[in-house]
Amino acid sequence: MRKKVIAANWKMNGTLEQANSLLDAFASAPLTVNESKIAVFAVPAPYLMLAKEKLGGNPYLQVAAQNCYSKKSGAYTGEISVEILKSIGIDYVVLGHSERREYFSESNAFLADKVNICLEFGITPIFCCGEPLEIREAETQNTFVAKQLEESLFHLSAEEISKIIIAYEPIWAIGTGKTASNQQAQEMHESIRSVLAAKYGAKVANEIPILYGGSVKASSAVELFAQPDVDGGLVGGASLIADEFIKIINA
Ligand code: 13P
């Protein structure tokens, strides 16, 4: 059985005071997490250790970095290495978010390098993919997303790709309040799984969690997460509201 994953992406939001109060709320809430369903919190880098400290008592609450660099260490001012992340107990990193692709020009090839170094250090990448509006309107979203996966992930062995979590985030649904319909999400997730199956076989493809992201709310989460190929969510805005995100985790 593949794992369900409900991930929060705080992006560049929250002061220390707000981070403290959100983390306290999640640490003390009754959450339905267990061996088959985990929650992951991608907090801004300065709060990673704080988040570990506050949530670390529960093995099903994990902390993620929102990015990392592709090199092990060295003269790369301002960057964060997986070696540093691992040394503070971080086991997950969000990679290839559309905001990083757009504002920081991260290419599929560059992301392949980041995926490699994460796996080398035993860190699970939450690999984001997803199409912009014009691609959706041209109805070429399936080939667009398949290319993102092929160019960043398909050099991996079956054993390596089994360690990845994929997050499908249609760019037109991010922060817009416009969630993909249940059917649109399911169709894309099914397409992603079939691309994975064609390359790695059905058994491997069936074990890889594929999360949906883009304006997920407590009110939409239950039906979205009930789709057969939707294994959870990557949640932005709603993950900054404690009650709302608790409901999404428990959806
Ligand atoms: P929103 O949930 O705010 O639309 O953001 C989605 C997202 O980008 C998560 O990574």
Side-chain angles (χ1 to χ4, degrees), residues 131-187:
E131 80 286 355
L133 184 60
E134 63 271 21
I135 295 290
R136 172 63 63 167
E137 283 173 348
E139 297 178 8
T140 53
Q141 66 272 8
N142 289 6
T143 42
F144 183 92
V145 168
K147 188 167 188 277
Q148 290 179 320
L149 301 177
E150 282 160 17
E151 294 187 0
S152 297
L153 301 180
F154 278 18
H155 61 286
L156 300 174
S157 67
E159 193 193 333
E160 287 167 337
I161 201 155
S162 304
K163 295 175 181 150
I164 306 248
I165 295 170
I166 291 175
Y168 167 61
E169 300 204 305
I171 298 171
W172 46 270
I174 295 178
T176 57
K178 196 174 153 190
T179 319
S181 68
N182 298 327
Q183 191 196 345
Q184 283 171 321
Q186 170 54 26
E187 273 171 15

Side-chain angles (χ1 to χ4, degrees), residues 9 11 97 99 169 173-176 213-216 234-238:
N9 178 5
K11 309 191 180 184
H97 192 281
E99 287 147 18
E169 300 204 305
I174 295 178
T176 57
S215 298
V216 174
L234 180 55
V235 185

Side-chain angles (χ1 to χ4, degrees), residues 15-32:
T15 60
L16 177 60
E17 196 186 339
Q18 290 164 330
N20 260 309
S21 92
L22 274 171
L23 291 167
D24 285 338
F26 296 130
S28 61
L31 300 174
T32 60

Side-chain angles (χ1 to χ4, degrees), residues 2-51:
R2 58 180 178 260
K3 223 181 242 178
K4 299 259 180 207
V5 180
I6 317 295
N9 178 5
W10 289 10
K11 309 191 180 184
M12 196 177 72
N13 291 299
T15 60
L16 177 60
E17 196 186 339
Q18 290 164 330
N20 260 309
S21 92
L22 274 171
L23 291 167
D24 285 338
F26 296 130
S28 61
L31 300 174
T32 60
V33 288
N34 52 49
E35 252 159 49
S36 57
K37 174 171 142 187
I38 62 165
V40 181
F41 296 81
V43 302
Y47 309 145
L48 285 169
M49 289 181 75
L50 177 72

Side-chain angles (χ1 to χ4, degrees), residues 17-251:
E17 196 186 339
Q18 290 164 330
N20 260 309
S21 92
L22 274 171
L23 291 167
D24 285 338
F26 296 130
S28 61
L31 300 174
T32 60
V33 288
N34 52 49
E35 252 159 49
S36 57
K37 174 171 142 187
I38 62 165
V40 181
F41 296 81
V43 302
Y47 309 145
L48 285 169
M49 289 181 75
L50 177 72
K52 278 297 291 183
E53 213 176 282
K54 299 236 184 217
L55 306 175
N58 185 336
Y60 309 120
L61 301 182
Q62 291 287 331
V63 179
Q66 295 176 11
N67 183 29
C68 69
Y69 196 50
S70 57
K71 306 278 191 221
K72 186 178 163 196
S73 61
Y76 302 101
T77 303
E79 292 298 313
I80 301 174
S81 72
V82 287
E83 187 178 58
I84 293 171
L85 293 173
K86 200 69 194 176
S87 76
I88 61 165
I90 301 299
D91 294 324
Y92 294 81
V93 177
V94 176
L95 287 184
H97 192 281
S98 60
E99 287 147 18
R100 295 216 56 88
R101 292 174 186 264
E102 181 179 352
Y103 306 134
F104 304 96
S105 306
E106 295 196 358
S107 66
N108 292 339
F110 184 45
L111 292 168
D113 290 341
K114 292 192 180 196
V115 166
N116 290 344
I117 195 130
C118 282
L119 294 178
E120 191 184 324
F121 277 79
I123 287 186
T124 301
I126 300 176
F127 180 83
C128 304
C129 55
E131 80 286 355
L133 184 60
E134 63 271 21
I135 295 290
R136 172 63 63 167
E137 283 173 348
E139 297 178 8
T140 53
Q141 66 272 8
N142 289 6
T143 42
F144 183 92
V145 168
K147 188 167 188 277
Q148 290 179 320
L149 301 177
E150 282 160 17
E151 294 187 0
S152 297
L153 301 180
F154 278 18
H155 61 286
L156 300 174
S157 67
E159 193 193 333
E160 287 167 337
I161 201 155
S162 304
K163 295 175 181 150
I164 306 248
I165 295 170
I166 291 175
Y168 167 61
E169 300 204 305
I171 298 171
W172 46 270
I174 295 178
T176 57
K178 196 174 153 190
T179 319
S181 68
N182 298 327
Q183 191 196 345
Q184 283 171 321
Q186 170 54 26
E187 273 171 15
M188 176 58 83
H189 285 225
E190 202 179 322
S191 164
I192 291 172
R193 209 176 299 286
S194 73
V195 169
L196 291 167
K199 168 84 178 164
Y200 293 102
K203 188 168 180 289
V204 170
N206 277 333
E207 289 301 315
I208 297 178
I210 307 175
L211 319 184
Y212 168 80
S215 298
V216 174
K217 304 265 180 303
S219 56
S220 57
V222 176
E223 285 199 12
L224 272 168
F225 297 172
Q227 302 305 308
D229 286 292
V230 177
D231 306 312
L234 180 55
V235 185
S239 74
L240 293 160
I241 306 163
D243 288 351
E244 182 79 6
F245 193 60
I246 289 165
K247 281 189 201 145
I248 294 174
I249 295 174
N250 292 339

